[in-house]
Amino acid sequence: KIDSLLRVLPQKSDTAKIRVYLKLANGYRRLSLDTAIHYALTALEQSKKYKHIRYEYDAVFKLGDFNREKGNFEEAYTYLQRSLAIGIMLKDTLGQAQTFNSIGNTYNKQGNYPKALNFLLKSLEIKERLGDKHGMSNTYINIGNVYDHLSAYAKSEEYILKGAQLKEELGDYYGVAGALNNLSIIYTRRYQAEKSIQTLEKVLKGYAKYMDPYLRSAVLGNLAEAYQAERKLGKALEAAKECLKIRLDLGDSTNASYSYITLANIEFDLKHYDAVIEYATHALKMSERMGILNHVWDAHVSLGEAYAAMRKPDKALYHY
């Protein structure tokens, strides 16, 4: 699809090119965030030049989403507020709901769960009122993810299953795979790691043709944690390393910082304390730069545990 878009791009008129830039941005979303941002910025510049508000609307929404995944949260909020303002001006109620959903996901990434829930529930109320089943399915799963972070596992499972059921009805098998992936996290948290492994291995086998690198990295990351919980540390390390490589290739900084924490935790179980310090230090630097406080917390805990195990109490106490 990307190749086809690149071939037709030189043949298009100036305003038609903007639409191609937006499609290219969307195409690169799960392949290379830097390239996706480049095309979205190009579309934004051109839409302003030709005073095409609809294309500007699409571009700023995409830039909000992409910058969130890069960990550029201030830029994400700026673009999403612009998206919301245009949506209000155009009286696009469903578009406003989508923007509320994206703002909620941004607060979730930052670890601000009350604000995340507030915006996601606003989004859901509009989508339910308008009968937007595709949008509802996404927001149900996003709300489930927030409840998972709050350790409200019953509510988390309830919302994720509602989202998965809707996606099944809509024939969105990529979405079903994503929902099952999120469900596996709850199983691992509830000390049902074997059930989590079975779910994730089913996703990798049964939904492979629907998956992209972004979703594959998420499945591998969760599989690494489930293997770790079952003390299958060799398999855990292999899955975590593959997950990290994909995320770094994608430029997915927010999730890459968590992959470093996962690797640090596995290496701790293997008593490889120098490796723990290396991975946790990477995670700490990345998450401090992006302002992801829950990852900062996790990284300090990993470093404290490693230094304590190495009998370096001063360094351990500093991180604790």
Side-chain angles (χ1 to χ4, degrees):
K1 187 174 181 181
I2 288 169
D3 288 343
S4 299
L5 289 166
L6 289 170
R7 277 198 297 273
V8 301
L9 184 61
Q11 304 160 28
K12 295 289 182 182
S13 66
D14 288 334
T15 51
K17 276 182 181 176
I18 305 172
R19 191 165 65 250
V20 180
Y21 290 137
L22 290 166
K23 286 180 179 291
L24 282 165
N26 212 46
Y28 277 108
R29 165 72 174 84
R30 304 292 192 188
L31 299 173
S32 168
L33 279 168
D34 288 333
T35 310
I37 288 169
H38 164 73
Y39 281 115
L41 281 171
T42 306
L44 179 59
E45 289 165 5
Q46 293 299 304
S47 61
K48 283 182 173 178
K49 179 179 176 182
Y50 293 101
K51 296 182 171 57
H52 205 303
I53 194 67
R54 288 278 176 184
Y55 289 158
E56 181 182 346
Y57 188 24
D58 194 0
V60 291
F61 179 82
K62 284 178 167 51
L63 285 164
D65 259 7
F66 302 162
N67 276 285
R68 176 185 64 245
E69 299 307 309
K70 286 289 290 181
N72 303 329
F73 295 118
E74 290 308 313
E75 289 92 330
Y77 289 125
T78 299
Y79 285 120
L80 291 171
Q81 288 299 331
R82 176 63 181 149
S83 172
L84 196 57
I86 296 174
I88 292 167
M89 182 181 72
L90 296 175
K91 298 181 180 176
D92 179 8
T93 309
L94 190 56
Q96 291 170 53
Q98 291 290 77
T99 305
F100 285 141
N101 183 78
S102 193
I103 293 171
N105 285 339
T106 307
Y107 279 120
N108 187 33
K109 281 277 185 185
Q110 276 194 298
N112 191 333
Y113 305 126
K115 279 195 173 182
L117 268 180
N118 179 42
F119 279 98
L120 290 170
L121 289 169
K122 273 186 187 178
S123 174
L124 183 61
E125 186 274 325
I126 296 170
K127 289 173 179 177
E128 286 181 333
R129 178 159 45 85
L130 297 175
D132 174 26
K133 289 188 175 182
H134 177 73
M136 284 160 57
S137 68
N138 290 332
T139 304
Y140 282 140
I141 292 166
N142 293 335
I143 291 169
N145 293 338
V146 177
Y147 278 125
D148 169 53
H149 287 304
L150 292 167
S151 303
Y153 300 130
K155 267 191 170 296
S156 178
E157 186 172 7
E158 175 195 339
Y159 275 97
I160 291 172
L161 284 172
K162 281 170 81 170
Q165 185 181 341
L166 262 183
K167 287 189 176 296
E168 189 81 53
E169 288 174 17
L170 294 165
D172 178 4
Y173 299 113
Y174 177 94
V176 174
L180 291 173
N181 173 60
N182 290 339
L183 207 54
S184 76
I185 301 170
I186 300 169
Y187 296 144
T188 302
R189 303 262 202 272
R190 285 178 159 177
Y191 306 103
Q192 297 173 304
E194 190 54 48
K195 191 174 180 181
S196 179
I197 290 167
Q198 289 169 4
T199 302
L200 292 165
E201 288 180 344
K202 174 187 170 184
V203 171
L204 285 173
K205 188 176 179 181
Y207 292 86
K209 66 181 179 180
Y210 303 110
M211 291 165 66
D212 56 22
Y214 183 90
L215 181 53
R216 181 175 173 78
S217 71
V219 172
L220 287 167
N222 292 329
L223 193 55
E225 292 191 22
Y227 280 140
Q228 184 190 6
E230 284 289 289
R231 311 306 296 165
K232 297 176 181 178
L233 298 179
K235 283 188 169 185
L237 202 60
E238 184 182 339
K241 284 182 176 178
E242 188 181 346
C243 169
L244 176 63
K245 183 182 182 305
I246 294 170
R247 285 172 171 173
L248 290 174
D249 288 345
L250 288 171
D252 183 3
S253 302
T254 57
N255 286 316
S257 70
Y258 187 75
S259 292
Y260 280 121
I261 291 163
T262 302
L263 279 163
N265 292 339
I266 297 165
E267 294 286 15
F268 183 84
D269 286 353
L270 289 164
K271 298 182 172 24
H272 299 159
Y273 302 125
D274 286 336
V276 175
I277 290 165
E278 180 186 346
Y279 286 129
T281 301
H282 273 299
L284 185 60
K285 286 178 180 175
M286 288 179 76
S287 51
E288 280 185 334
R289 175 178 59 78
M290 293 182 286
I292 307 177
L293 294 182
N294 47 334
H295 292 188
V296 173
W297 188 87
D298 286 334
H300 277 303
V301 170
S302 292
L303 287 163
E305 288 179 344
Y307 283 121
M310 295 168 79
R311 301 181 188 277
K312 296 182 177 179
D314 289 348
K315 287 189 173 182
L317 283 168
Y318 166 76
H319 290 288
Y320 283 141

